[in-house]
Amino acid sequence: MKDTFYVTTPIYYPNDVPHIGHAYTSVAADIIARYHRLRGERVFHLTGTDEHGLKLQRAAEAAGVDPRTWVDRMEPRWREVWSRLDIAYDDYIRTTEPRHEAAVAQLLQAVYENGRDDIYPGIYEGLYCVSCELYYGESDLEGGNCPIHGRPVELLREENYFFRLSAYRDRLLEHYEHHPEAVQPEVRRNEVLSVIRGGLQDFSISRTSFHWGIPLPWDPRHVCYVWFDALTNYITAAGYGSDPERFGRMWPADVHLMAKDILRQHAVYWPAMLMAAGVEPARQVWAHGYLLVGGEKMSKTKLTGIHPFELIDHFGVDSYRYYFMREIQFGQDGNFSWESMVERHNADLANGLGNLLSRVLAMLAASFEGRVPPPDGTGAEGDLPAVAADVLGRYEGHFGRMELSSAVGAAWDLVGRVNQYLVEREPWKVARDPARQEEAGAVLYAAAEALRILAVLISPVMPGAAARVWEQLGIAAPLGAQRLPEAAAWGGLAPGTVTRRGEALFPRIDA
Ligand code: ME8
């Protein structure tokens, strides 16, 4: 029985190193996975590299090495980025691994033998974009070039096996009618429906013109088409064909996350391939927008790629993760700019959360020897408990609808309210009056308690910063053991807790 929340990123092409566009998807997937862990769910977060195909073979040739040497050299360059970005994936799949080659052979064989001739031989001639690893029709092109990469396509002609995608039109439409949530956001769903309604063409699933791929089990002169190979990774890692018990706990995947560039492969090819093999399609394909630089899609092909380290070195990993999730409405295209990143960092992190933590801890140190005072039972906390409860409700609602930017924004409503509350209650003044010590203590209790709740809420987004807030608050129970919603209920901070003022959470950055 399925018992695991299963989220995936695309497996990226290691023909080059990652840029912040790839990192955008991987950070989002990590936040979703961490949020579900925070809710106490069993989670499986999969990522990896897509290592076969013509694009990879050509990158290797250009470097003067064989494809295997090339992918072995490049793959660590991806993992090093995920590691510095605090991406806590549960499995990393490489399509050149034997477990994957076995799963692809199994899936191919299952479709080949399904009794409906869904795989048949033929000759293919068409216009191919190597960057997409995709054939295009004349009418798809823009000025004769690939609509995604703006590069010339090539005329390829070869003997292929085809997959009878055209036979799946009605079943796909029916699937999406019964499962409106299966492609999101809505604009992407409409796009997919119109592609399917417009009629589907069979696509070739093998290549004979080069050899860097997985041989077809029944005709090893052919290697498997890289997209058929790559999509299969999602079931390989879940135990397809090797561990039925595990496969039952994991599959269908809950969310395949990606940008809209590869929506068609995920929402049309992939479910049809699975249907042909008698496997249930994934529950959801979620295609976010593009990260733009100067108004254009950032891409390696167009040489506008920014390596994540260029930004992490300057802003730190927590600020990095926060910026991309907060700044860009999840699902829409969004521009990256250095200026907006500096502004967000200083306004929301240094002046917002960071300043709140340091003020509260400084006041506790000055007036209460750093110990968390008790709440006074007279309502000094004002509306903070109600605001925190409201924020939690909205935060969970937004996460449930994959509105990641709004979920993060909800937590910042609490930051804003606590800062305002402190201005209203002036605990630094109240504390100077010996007769009002209890009141000052209760106000600081409320502010510290709100910070505790904030640490829990930001932990999926900024795991490092959340841990530092937790540590400075001096809470003994591990942050990693906190579970929503209980951990965000008001009153969890124990009076008497010894806080430990530390370094500034987010030092300001000069523009
Ligand atoms: O397509 N904005 O790999 P890929 C947002 N191997 N996201 C971006 C982006 C941008 N400017 N640029 C890249 C492949 N991405 C196949 C996938 S899956 C079975 C096989 C992200 O290396 C986004 O997630 O070209 C996009 O879908 C993916 O990188 C494409 O990565």
Side-chain angles (χ1 to χ4, degrees):
M1 206 190 65
K2 180 163 161 84
D3 67 358
T4 302
F5 179 85
Y6 183 14
V7 54
T8 68
T9 71
I11 48 170
Y12 306 104
Y13 291 126
N15 58 318
D16 204 341
V17 296
H19 59 59
I20 61 177
H22 304 111
Y24 181 76
T25 313
S26 286
V27 165
D30 187 59
I31 290 172
I32 293 163
R34 286 177 186 269
Y35 169 74
H36 284 269
R37 288 190 200 109
L38 182 57
R39 288 172 49 95
E41 294 169 49
R42 190 196 284 264
V43 171
F44 187 66
H45 170 188
L46 176 71
T47 193
T49 29
D50 183 357
E51 305 189 346
H52 290 128
L54 187 53
K55 178 163 165 157
L56 254 298
Q57 179 168 312
R58 288 201 181 158
E61 277 162 10
V65 297
D66 63 280
R68 162 65 71 175
T69 306
W70 179 255
V71 295
D72 285 348
R73 185 185 293 172
M74 293 306 286
E75 176 268 341
R77 307 290 309 276
W78 289 74
R79 289 206 201 218
E80 72 183 357
V81 172
W82 306 150
S83 149
R84 268 197 77 192
L85 275 171
D86 280 344
I87 308 287
Y89 51 78
D90 297 291
D91 193 0
Y92 187 101
I93 190 164
R94 302 180 59 184
T95 53
T96 48
E97 288 174 64
R99 62 168 170 161
H100 180 66
E101 302 190 344
V104 170
Q106 288 237 19
L107 183 70
L108 282 165
Q109 198 71 41
V111 178
Y112 192 58
E113 288 171 357
N114 74 0
R116 293 191 298 272
D117 264 344
D118 275 345
I119 292 180
Y120 61 91
I123 298 279
Y124 199 90
E125 187 174 279
L127 300 166
Y128 197 73
C129 170
V130 178
S131 292
C132 294
E133 295 273 18
L134 216 58
Y135 277 109
Y136 281 101
E138 291 276 4
S139 61
D140 299 325
L141 304 180
E142 285 172 10
N145 291 330
C146 161
I148 297 207
H149 294 91
R151 284 192 154 191
V153 290
E154 301 174 29
L155 185 68
L156 294 189
R157 180 192 153 83
E158 57 181 341
E159 186 193 326
N160 288 160
Y161 284 93
F162 285 81
F163 173 62
R164 205 178 298 281
L165 181 65
S166 55
Y168 286 86
R169 180 179 178 274
D170 293 347
R171 280 188 66 186
L172 285 170
L173 285 175
E174 199 181 313
H175 171 67
Y176 287 128
E177 221 155 84
H178 286 119
H179 303 283
E181 74 293 345
V183 185
Q184 285 295 317
E186 209 52 30
V187 28
R188 303 296 156 227
R189 169 181 155 78
N190 293 334
E191 230 173 83
V192 166
L193 288 177
S194 97
V195 167
I196 301 173
R197 287 199 189 106
L200 299 174
Q201 287 187 1
D202 298 350
F203 67 93
S204 88
I205 55 145
S206 73
R207 296 288 185 267
T208 44
S209 54
F210 67 95
H211 303 288
W212 180 235
I214 300 173
L216 299 189
W218 63 87
D219 188 349
R221 292 175 305 132
H222 292 244
V223 294
C224 181
Y225 170 45
V226 64
W227 269 104
F228 197 102
D229 167 346
L231 289 161
T232 306
N233 90 87
Y234 302 129
I235 55 173
T236 304
Y240 174 75
S242 65
D243 187 344
E245 195 268 333
R246 175 181 160 80
F247 193 61
R249 284 190 286 112
M250 311 269 291
W251 195 259
D254 292 85
V255 192
H256 289 320
L257 199 62
M258 72 207 65
K260 59 192 178 184
D261 53 345
I262 53 177
L263 175 63
R264 192 185 286 217
Q265 293 91 324
H266 281 82
V268 183
Y269 289 12
W270 180 226
M273 285 162 56
L274 289 169
M275 287 170 181
V279 178
E280 209 181 320
R283 289 191 175 159
Q284 187 170 66
V285 167
W286 216 99
H288 61 68
Y290 289 150
L291 206 61
L292 311 174
V293 175
E296 268 212 59
K297 181 186 178 216
M298 157 159 340
S299 88
K300 290 179 287 203
T301 318
K302 289 184 184 163
L303 301 176
T304 51
I306 298 172
H307 192 280
F309 288 175
E310 291 177 44
L311 301 179
I312 302 172
D313 287 345
H314 199 77
F315 293 91
V317 55
D318 291 300
S319 180
Y320 182 107
R321 292 170 60 111
Y322 174 80
Y323 169 76
F324 286 103
M325 282 312 114
R326 181 78 197 272
E327 181 77 7
I328 300 166
Q329 203 67 33
F330 199 63
Q332 319 225 320
D333 291 352
N335 242 303
F336 159 79
S337 84
W338 184 269
E339 293 73 22
S340 67
M341 196 164 176
V342 171
E343 202 176 302
R344 279 258 174 229
H345 177 96
N346 286 337
D348 298 4
L349 301 181
N351 295 349
L353 180 62
N355 188 35
L356 175 62
L357 178 72
S358 77
R359 280 166 78 204
V360 171
L361 294 184
M363 288 187 275
L364 285 173
S367 306
F368 297 92
E369 295 170 328
R371 278 177 201 281
V372 174
D376 68 354
T378 65
E381 67 277 12
D383 64 354
L384 290 193
V387 172
D390 171 62
V391 161
L392 172 66
R394 284 189 286 126
Y395 172 94
E396 296 204 294
H398 288 311
F399 260 115
R401 294 185 297 273
M402 295 278 272
E403 294 158 0
L404 305 186
S405 6
S406 308
V408 182
W412 254 258
D413 290 346
L414 183 56
V415 174
R417 180 62 198 123
V418 183
N419 266 324
Q420 197 185 5
Y421 166 84
L422 290 174
V423 171
E424 288 160 12
R425 307 300 300 239
E426 301 185 310
W428 53 92
K429 277 193 195 158
V430 177
R432 274 186 237 129
D433 181 346
R436 296 175 72 190
Q437 289 304 296
E438 269 183 35
E439 180 192 340
V443 169
L444 289 177
Y445 175 85
E449 168 59 358
L451 278 162
R452 183 194 66 81
I453 292 172
L454 277 166
V456 173
L457 297 184
I458 67 170
S459 64
V461 184
M462 298 191 277
R468 294 201 301 281
V469 173
W470 201 255
E471 197 187 309
Q472 293 199 22
L473 287 173
I475 301 169
L479 176 58
Q482 305 304 306
R483 294 289 170 261
L484 283 182
E486 311 82 51
W490 190 264
L493 184 60
T497 302
V498 181
T499 61
R500 291 189 281 259
R501 266 177 95 185
E503 287 183 6
L505 200 54
F506 299 106
R508 274 187 69 84
I509 286 178
D510 291 331

